[in-house]
Amino acid sequence: MAQCYCRWRNVLICLCTPCIILALVIAYIYAMVTLSMHSSRSVRPGSTLAAPFFVASGLLKSENFSSIPETFWDTHANKNSIWNYLQTVTDRQFNPILHLNNTKKKFKHESFLKESFSELNGLHRNYKGLPLQLHYFLRSMHRRDYTTVLQPDRVCGAGGNDDTEQVLLLLAIKSKESNFKNRQAIRQTWGQVGWVAGERRNSTSEDENGGYVRRIFLLGKEEHEKLGIADYELLQMESLYYGDILQWDFKDTFFNLTLKDVLFWKWFSQLCSQTLFVFKGDDDVFVNTQKMIRYLHDQLRAPQVKETIKEFMVGEVITTAVPDRVNKSKYYIPEVFYKGLYPTYAGGGGVVYSGLLTQRLYDMSKRVHLFPIDDVYVGMCMVRLNAHPIHHPAFLTFDFPGKEEQQPCAYHSILLVHKRSPEQVVKLWDQLKRTQEQCRDVPLRVLRQKPKL
Ligand SMILES: *[C@@H]1O[C@H](CO)[C@@H](O)[C@H](O)[C@H]1NC(C)=O
Ligand SMILES: *[C@@H]1O[C@H](CO)[C@@H](O)[C@H](O)[C@H]1NC(C)=O
Ligand SMILES: *[C@@H]1O[C@H](CO)[C@@H](O)[C@H](O)[C@H]1NC(C)=O
Ligand SMILES: *[C@@H]1O[C@H](CO)[C@@H](O)[C@H](O)[C@H]1NC(C)=O
Ligand SMILES: *[C@@H]1O[C@H](CO)[C@@H](O)[C@H](O)[C@H]1NC(C)=O
């Protein structure tokens, strides 16, 4: 009886030992894979600047953004859409399991972006049916090395005489050579630089929270037929007089706007390390700068600001947007170019983000192919940083709803409204000053009804 029991025990040991060893090996591999994925997501300790927080495909738990394949080994995904395909190839290059070295610093990101194009050429595509602007975009999509034509003299925009002063807000405004009137209206009104007083909390409190503000206009080059010689000379004089022009040598078209983001981030990373916040927007918006300064001070007083500031972005947030498939539209993106939903993004008419996030966006942009629609591109970089823009109802990139604008203190309850002509901007600024006393305690807009999901 005892012998029989012993024999069974040996059989059990023979059968179970390999199983247990196998289970241990699997557990070990799983732990190593998870660790290596997570190590590439963590923030470098001991440095003030957060490392790019790369989300490898297969790790992202968002059903709302389908352009990142669900599994990193799925190489056949999206072969029929140019952008998705290029990005899949690039994402694989940065996958910490396949190429651990690539996720570390000190290597040439740009060369990886370029390499993915060579794979695309192997597919022998026919781009003939594409609309002209997309055709131009594709032909220059690999380029970011445009030279700077005009720039302020080694300072972070106009508005400071003391470079050691910490800048609260840098206004980075997308403009065009011919939009002189817009720039002038902004300079005289909401875009004034130097020390700008924020709005007082209330009539009794003494605390004044202002901050240093700087300004820069972001421009490409317009076609010469549209632009007279006088326009160009005027721009050079503006640059000399105001020191707020940053111009690059690329064609200033709608599909090239993303270049303004990427090249601005680069310039910012080199010259503006002391800047706390960036406003990036169009030159046909109206901004309530005083309210904005107060709002930003409130953010700086929030608990855990050291953590949240690394991914702070606020604006009018658009969720579950789909590419425009109407072929006459300005925003038309056919399926052969991009497939899937757009990521959650903040409308490009006007958005505010932190200086720390700007530098992280710049690092991330070296791993993300240019996309023709600028605010969507910023959203794509945000997804890969695992950062989420905050929605604020006081950003009205689609103007006031209904008759709200006619209320006497309407403009005191907003941070930004699109779109306003230079003449309107000047008038509104006057009106804002005149009604200062009467509208002093008007709070920022809040959502009246539930947001649409
Ligand atoms: C996806 O979108 C829905 C609706 O817009 C939203 O409620 C949900 O939080 C989003 N999911 C993720 C993971 O972002
Ligand atoms: C990774 O980088 C290290 C040093 O930087 C080098 O010695 C090693 O060969 C690299 N490994 C691969 C797989 O490229
Ligand atoms: C004014 O602000 C102070 C502090 O900022 C606050 O304690 C006080 O309650 C406020 N008064 C009114 C009338 O809101
Ligand atoms: C963007 O600018 C480059 C350089 O000027 C130009 O070659 C390209 O056609 C432009 N792209 C679009 C979409 O206009
Ligand atoms: C746009 O769509 C219409 C109808 O769907 C089609 O007839 C036309 O050829 C398309 N134009 C382009 C440039 O693709």
Side-chain angles (χ1 to χ4, degrees):
M1 193 64 188
Q3 212 178 2
C4 179
Y5 175 74
C6 268
R7 220 186 41 230
W8 277 112
R9 196 179 58 181
N10 284 343
V11 169
L12 268 180
I13 289 173
C14 285
L15 280 178
C16 290
T17 312
C19 291
I20 291 169
I21 290 176
L22 195 65
L24 284 175
V25 168
I26 290 174
Y28 175 76
I29 293 175
Y30 180 79
M32 290 320 285
V33 165
T34 315
L35 273 180
S36 76
M37 280 177 123
H38 280 271
S39 70
S40 72
R41 299 180 53 179
S42 61
V43 169
R44 217 183 309 150
S47 78
T48 50
L49 185 66
F53 181 98
F54 190 62
V55 181
S57 45
L59 203 64
L60 192 77
K61 299 282 176 283
S62 171
E63 324 82 57
N64 294 350
F65 184 48
S66 53
S67 81
I68 295 185
E70 284 185 0
T71 53
F72 67 84
W73 55 83
D74 186 4
T75 54
H76 296 289
N78 302 317
K79 269 218 154 138
N80 295 319
S81 300
I82 301 165
W83 191 91
N84 303 55
Y85 182 66
L86 285 173
Q87 193 57 40
T88 308
V89 172
T90 308
D91 280 344
R92 279 175 69 79
Q93 293 291 349
F94 292 104
N95 188 295
I97 298 171
L98 302 172
H99 304 274
L100 188 61
N101 273 8
N102 292 359
T103 54
K104 305 269 185 301
K105 31 182 187 166
K106 275 195 198 159
F107 71 99
K108 294 230 159 55
H109 297 78
E110 276 92 355
S111 69
F112 283 112
L113 284 180
K114 285 203 176 126
E115 257 171 44
S116 55
F117 283 98
S118 62
E119 296 213 17
L120 187 71
N121 291 338
L123 292 179
H124 296 298
R125 278 163 200 288
N126 182 5
Y127 301 142
K128 282 224 177 87
L130 294 181
L132 207 56
Q133 63 166 352
L134 199 58
H135 196 90
Y136 288 141
F137 177 83
L138 275 168
R139 281 214 310 229
S140 58
M141 189 180 165
H142 59 283
R143 279 198 66 194
R144 301 180 181 193
D145 53 348
Y146 296 102
T147 50
T148 313
V149 187
L150 293 172
Q151 61 179 321
D153 202 10
R154 309 200 327 119
V155 288
C156 171
N161 38 16
D162 184 1
D163 272 345
T164 56
E165 204 59 66
Q166 184 164 57
V167 179
L168 179 71
L169 180 62
L170 171 67
L171 306 168
I173 304 150
K174 296 178 269 183
S175 188
K176 278 185 163 185
E177 286 171 315
S178 50
N179 285 1
F180 173 72
K181 272 179 143 183
N182 299 53
R183 289 193 291 279
Q184 208 55 14
I186 291 170
R187 285 177 183 127
Q188 289 162 6
T189 57
W190 61 264
Q192 288 171 29
V193 294
W195 176 264
V196 177
E199 194 189 57
R200 297 228 182 153
R201 317 237 114 225
N202 55 40
S203 36
T204 50
S205 78
E206 290 294 307
D207 76 316
E208 196 184 14
N209 38 63
Y212 281 97
V213 175
R214 285 175 178 257
R215 178 186 64 226
I216 191 86
F217 290 102
L218 313 173
L219 295 92
K221 289 202 129 186
E222 271 176 90
E223 284 169 67
H224 284 294
E225 303 93 75
K226 285 195 203 150
L227 203 68
I229 293 288
D231 280 331
Y232 189 65
E233 280 181 356
L234 186 60
L235 190 72
Q236 281 182 314
M237 278 164 62
E238 278 180 78
S239 177
L240 274 178
Y241 189 76
Y242 296 106
D244 60 2
I245 302 288
L246 182 54
Q247 187 188 26
W248 298 279
D249 185 22
F250 61 78
K251 224 156 95 188
D252 211 334
T253 57
F254 179 62
F255 273 14
N256 263 348
L257 280 181
T258 310
L259 284 170
K260 291 191 185 175
D261 286 278
V262 173
L263 296 175
F264 164 70
W265 292 340
K266 182 177 182 182
W267 175 85
F268 181 94
S269 303
Q270 287 161 355
L271 289 168
C272 305
S273 56
Q274 291 294 310
T275 303
L276 286 173
F277 294 101
V278 172
F279 164 85
K280 174 136 187 307
D282 290 335
D283 64 358
D284 57 355
V285 299
F286 180 78
V287 178
N288 187 339
T289 319
Q290 285 197 306
K291 269 259 156 65
M292 184 76 85
I293 287 175
R294 173 166 158 190
Y295 173 77
L296 294 177
H297 274 294
D298 287 347
Q299 302 312 303
L300 291 173
R301 287 195 198 98
Q304 281 154 5
V305 62
K306 278 211 168 114
E307 283 310 308
T308 55
I309 201 83
K310 286 177 192 154
E311 54 179 65
F312 177 80
M313 177 182 281
V314 64
E316 174 146 31
V317 171
I318 298 154
T319 52
T320 55
V322 289
D324 193 336
R325 305 291 193 204
V326 178
N327 71 8
K328 287 215 176 68
S329 160
K330 174 184 177 190
Y331 300 92
Y332 174 55
I333 297 290
E335 206 154 300
V336 294
F337 183 74
Y338 180 83
K339 210 163 155 182
L341 296 175
Y342 284 155
T344 296
Y345 66 96
V351 54
V352 174
Y353 42 81
S354 69
L356 282 175
L357 182 63
T358 312
Q359 300 183 38
R360 293 175 68 209
L361 283 168
Y362 174 56
D363 285 338
M364 186 48 72
S365 72
K366 297 172 191 168
R367 305 171 177 198
V368 184
H369 282 282
L370 295 178
F371 191 79
I373 298 173
D374 62 344
D375 40 13
V376 172
Y377 179 78
V378 179
M380 288 168 164
C381 294
M382 288 288 280
V383 164
R384 284 172 170 77
L385 288 167
N386 205 13
H388 307 280
I390 303 163
H391 179 74
H392 199 303
F395 284 81
L396 298 174
T397 53
F398 299 103
D399 216 328
F400 283 98
K403 292 193 170 154
E404 205 186 302
E405 188 181 359
Q406 288 156 17
Q407 290 169 10
C409 292
Y411 283 88
H412 290 266
S413 70
I414 58 150
L415 293 171
L416 171 137
V417 63
H418 183 257
K419 112 189 230 178
R420 296 291 180 269
S421 70
E423 292 79 16
Q424 286 171 322
V425 164
V426 172
K427 260 195 203 144
L428 285 172
W429 187 252
D430 273 353
Q431 184 198 322
L432 206 64
K433 298 271 125 159
R434 269 190 285 114
T435 51
Q436 196 86 51
E437 278 303 313
Q438 151 198 2
C439 300
R440 188 188 285 279
D441 293 329
V442 172
L444 285 178
R445 270 185 101 236
V446 287
L447 264 193
R448 304 256 149 69
Q449 68 273 62
K450 270 185 82 95
K452 327 184 257 288
L453 288 178

